[in-house]
Amino acid sequence: MTNETVLLQRSLAGRFGGRWSAEPLHASSFCATWGARGRGQRLFVKSVPLAAADVLEAEADGLEALASMRAIAVPEVAGCWRDGEHGLALQWLELRPPDAGFGERYGRALGELHRGIPPAAKAATAGGATTCWAARRSATAGAARAAAPAGSTSSPRHALAR
């Protein structure tokens, strides 16, 4: 068992309680991926160095926004954390081949998704920062406004560009 596996198991135990096992899946080119089991559940876990934490936080926020639309099933975010490395734990999905009606159902669901604005996005634009992204955006925009010269008309959004 690698040191990375042991650290992940400890991190999961600290977050979710109980004893956890984890096996590397090697399912990504940009992060480490794991199948984890503990407390009667199975999770798909991703980890990246802290310097890349924004990637997994953005993924967690995106999944939560998609889920809030209730149009397309996405894995539930079980946890997103920073300690040594950054981790994202997702509901484990048992994948299976699509049935004959999948394409039509998926197309309709995707259309429904594109017709709406997720409640989390509405809350974020109304000042009710409910997600990691919305909280960071709000804090960064506030700092940008505070640092802007008097009379400046620059949009806080420009301050967020990387």
Side-chain angles (χ1 to χ4, degrees):
M1 185 177 315
T2 67
N3 191 35
E4 190 177 19
T5 303
V6 172
L7 291 174
L8 178 66
Q9 290 171 335
R10 287 181 187 157
S11 186
L12 291 168
R15 304 257 168 281
F16 304 111
R19 196 178 148 118
W20 286 82
S21 64
E23 296 207 19
L25 297 175
H26 310 289
S28 174
S29 61
F30 80 92
C31 67
T33 57
W34 310 84
R37 291 180 188 266
R39 298 192 50 145
Q41 63 180 326
R42 189 166 184 197
L43 298 174
F44 179 74
V45 182
K46 296 180 174 187
S47 65
V48 296
L50 283 176
D54 287 351
V55 172
L56 295 185
E57 288 173 358
E59 181 176 351
D61 291 340
L63 287 168
E64 289 172 347
L66 288 170
S68 74
M69 291 297 299
R70 296 181 177 92
I72 288 182
V74 296
E76 181 181 332
V77 175
C80 189
W81 65 89
R82 292 180 186 223
D83 65 3
E85 285 205 346
H86 186 65
L88 172 62
L90 304 171
Q91 168 191 14
W92 183 267
L93 299 178
E94 291 294 338
L95 303 178
R96 63 179 193 269
D99 63 27
F102 172 79
E104 182 177 345
R105 287 192 314 275
Y106 183 73
R108 289 182 192 279
L110 191 58
E112 183 63 31
L113 177 69
H114 283 86
R115 280 190 281 283
I117 298 173
K122 289 179 188 175
T125 58
T130 57
T131 65
C132 295
W133 174 84
R136 281 193 314 278
R137 180 176 183 273
S138 176
T140 305
R145 280 192 296 274
S152 171
T153 58
S154 66
S155 165
R157 280 190 181 180
H158 295 135
L160 298 177
R162 294 182 183 194

